[in-house]
Amino acid sequence: MIISILAFILVLGVLVVLHEAGHFLAARAVGAPVEVFSVGFGKRLWGFDRGGTEFRVSLIPLGGYVRIPGLGPDESHLVGNPADAPELLARWKRALILVSGPLTNLVGAVLFLAVAFMIGAEVPAYQEQPPVVGWVDPDSPAAAAGILPGDLVTRIDGTEVSAWRDLDSSLFISGGDELLLEVVRGRSTLEIPLTPQPVTRYAIGYAGLSPQVDPVVTSVQPRSPAAAAGLQPGDRIVAVDGVAVRHFYDLVRLIAPNPGKVLHLTVVRDGNQAEVEVTPEDQGGEGKIGVSPAQPTTVVTLGPVAAVSAGAVETYRLTRETFKVLKRLLTFRASLRQVSGPIDIARISGEAARGGPPRLIWFMGLISLQLGIFNLLPIPVLDGGHLAIVGFEAVRRRDLSVRLKERILEVGFYAIMLLMVVVLVNDIVKILPESLYRFFVRG
């Protein structure tokens, strides 16, 4: 919990400062004064003055703002102390200042990802491999759709798929949504409709597809049924009670329904075959023997130029996936369970921090990208909402009144607050014990 809180403060603090620094530097570049640079909203807790700007830390830590006279009413007028409205800056200056915050986050995303690549980002080796199906869950949507081991997925809804990473991300965000897969099978090319099943509290899409994962034991948990049976790392399990095992998930599928039952494993060790008895222990109603599969990873380490290029490519890919999720949310085809709020982000921040600096920096790049995209949405209070107003004023060649802008701002502020409440409740529900989760979510 402490690591998660500290990691969340680090991630949010750095990205808020980065965002507001974009506004600050743009204002200084066009000669506009900056009265306040605040990390957080509301009551001032601590700060100092420098160069005509008060730099402060405020009470409510979920964001920040810069107060720039002539930019028009902003969020600081709602949660801070409003000042008399000064003469507005030229529209082009306002637009440049407003867009600079989100753009700084987008550039920051590229740079964070580039730094992760330079340090060395560890990723599952299969993610960069062609998406050749190695296993199909017999009870999955993929099996029902007719996908077979050995199929090569080349396109999803007309978009090219070149690696497992692309396939995984498309399936992940498409729970309950029908996709059209183009599959190469032998010399034939097939089009197969597939609807991933929404699973877990995040409603992520599960299709039941996996790359080839050999049924080889990588590690054995101490005091587990596998350890008691004498299984060792490197053992290949080729059968369970005489049923052939060709994939690690075949092993999982055959063991899970049999907690407490003696099973006979056929094991190959150093070229010799032997029979081993093991009794899976009951863990949440499923049988487990305490072995881990072989999941090779690769460390991608790049030089500065290649890392920036790779960071830009990854940012583009993540941006494309983000807009796919937004489209699904706006068309009510995706669940709000796929949206993470502060509690969820804090938990994931802690997991990233425990995974080491490259993983945490990678996560900061991801959140920086989401922050930049979110702030460009045309919602009042957000930068995109202010930009929409400036654009409307440019078309009508006349500024709206300050009072009207403040009313528009208030509507957006309360809408964002409502969304925040919904997301917080959503976060809390996700971490409830299973019994309470079923009560609140499933009835």
Side-chain angles (χ1 to χ4, degrees):
M1 172 107 30
I2 293 175
I3 291 176
S4 294
I5 293 173
L6 293 177
F8 176 68
I9 292 172
L10 172 66
V11 170
L12 187 64
V14 169
L15 298 183
V16 166
V17 169
L18 182 66
H19 179 91
E20 301 305 333
H23 293 310
F24 175 82
L25 294 174
R28 287 294 175 87
V30 300
V34 181
E35 291 182 346
V36 178
F37 186 122
S38 177
V39 179
F41 297 114
K43 183 179 179 181
R44 177 184 184 275
L45 298 179
W46 174 83
F48 61 91
D49 293 321
R50 181 167 296 173
T53 301
E54 180 193 0
F55 296 88
R56 66 167 69 162
V57 176
S58 300
L59 179 63
I60 305 172
L62 300 178
Y65 64 91
V66 288
R67 183 177 298 155
I68 302 171
L71 194 61
D74 59 21
E75 59 268 35
S76 67
H77 289 69
L78 295 175
V79 292
N81 295 316
D84 293 333
E87 183 179 351
L88 290 173
L89 298 168
R91 293 191 191 99
W92 73 267
K93 291 185 178 182
R94 283 182 273 158
L96 180 62
I97 294 170
L98 289 166
V99 79
S100 293
L103 287 184
T104 304
N105 280 123
L106 299 180
V107 173
V110 174
L111 296 180
F112 281 124
L113 296 178
V115 170
F117 277 121
M118 285 189 285
I119 296 175
E122 185 175 8
V123 297
Y126 83 88
Q127 286 192 346
E128 304 303 322
Q129 297 171 356
V132 178
V133 176
W135 180 79
V136 179
D137 183 345
D139 301 318
S140 70
I147 297 177
L148 302 176
D151 286 350
L152 170 65
V153 182
T154 56
R155 291 182 180 274
I156 295 181
D157 286 344
T159 302
E160 184 179 355
V161 175
S162 60
W164 264 103
R165 178 180 59 179
D166 302 324
L167 177 58
D168 280 346
S169 61
S170 295
L171 297 175
F172 184 87
I173 65 173
S174 301
D177 194 16
E178 183 177 274
L179 305 173
L180 185 62
L181 275 60
E182 185 177 288
V183 172
V184 175
R185 180 180 299 165
R187 297 183 179 180
S188 302
T189 299
L190 310 174
E191 289 189 342
I192 301 177
L194 170 67
T195 304
Q197 177 185 358
V199 298
T200 79
R201 300 183 184 189
Y202 293 86
I204 63 175
Y206 175 72
L209 300 176
S210 168
Q212 180 59 38
V213 180
D214 291 335
V216 176
V217 176
T218 302
S219 63
V220 178
Q221 295 177 7
R223 297 181 294 278
S224 66
L231 289 175
Q232 300 176 10
D235 287 350
R236 176 182 287 269
I237 302 173
V238 297
V240 176
D241 281 348
V243 179
V245 172
R246 296 182 178 85
H247 192 285
F248 191 86
Y249 294 141
D250 287 330
L251 179 65
V252 174
R253 182 174 59 86
L254 293 169
I255 290 176
N258 297 296
K261 178 183 177 181
V262 177
L263 301 177
H264 295 83
L265 309 184
T266 304
V267 178
V268 175
R269 178 185 301 164
D270 299 327
N272 299 315
Q273 185 168 298
E275 297 292 324
V276 175
E277 287 188 355
V278 63
T279 304
E281 62 183 8
D282 191 334
Q283 294 185 12
E286 292 189 348
K288 306 283 187 181
I289 63 173
V291 297
S292 300
Q295 289 281 16
T297 60
T298 181
V299 177
V300 180
T301 305
L302 303 174
V305 175
V308 171
S309 176
V313 170
E314 185 66 8
T315 299
Y316 170 76
R317 186 186 72 82
L318 292 170
T319 300
R320 187 177 61 189
E321 297 301 326
T322 298
F323 278 103
K324 285 183 182 178
V325 173
L326 284 174
K327 180 180 178 181
R328 285 171 48 77
L329 286 170
L330 292 174
T331 55
F332 304 101
R333 293 161 62 194
S335 170
L336 272 178
R337 286 181 287 165
Q338 295 183 355
V339 179
S340 292
I343 297 174
D344 225 11
I345 294 174
R347 180 186 61 78
I348 300 171
S349 297
E351 293 177 358
R354 287 188 288 272
R359 188 173 173 186
L360 179 60
I361 294 171
W362 185 282
F363 179 70
M364 291 177 70
L366 175 62
I367 298 300
S368 184
L369 174 64
Q370 307 303 315
L371 185 62
I373 292 173
F374 181 70
N375 270 279
L376 284 173
L377 297 178
I379 301 173
V381 171
L382 302 180
D383 296 321
H386 293 298
L387 283 167
I389 292 174
V390 171
F392 178 76
E393 290 175 334
V395 170
R396 76 191 293 255
R397 297 184 179 181
R398 188 171 45 153
D399 290 333
L400 300 176
S401 69
V402 173
R403 179 174 292 276
L404 177 56
K405 289 181 183 179
E406 288 179 343
R407 295 297 172 266
I408 294 173
L409 199 66
E410 287 178 359
V411 172
F413 178 79
Y414 291 124
I416 290 294
M417 290 299 101
L418 177 61
L419 176 62
M420 182 63 68
V421 170
V422 171
V423 170
L424 282 171
V425 171
N426 190 36
D427 280 359
I428 293 170
V429 168
K430 290 176 188 175
I431 61 175
L432 290 175
E434 184 62 27
S435 58
L436 290 176
Y437 174 77
R438 289 174 179 167
F439 175 78
F440 283 108
V441 177
R442 303 175 188 174

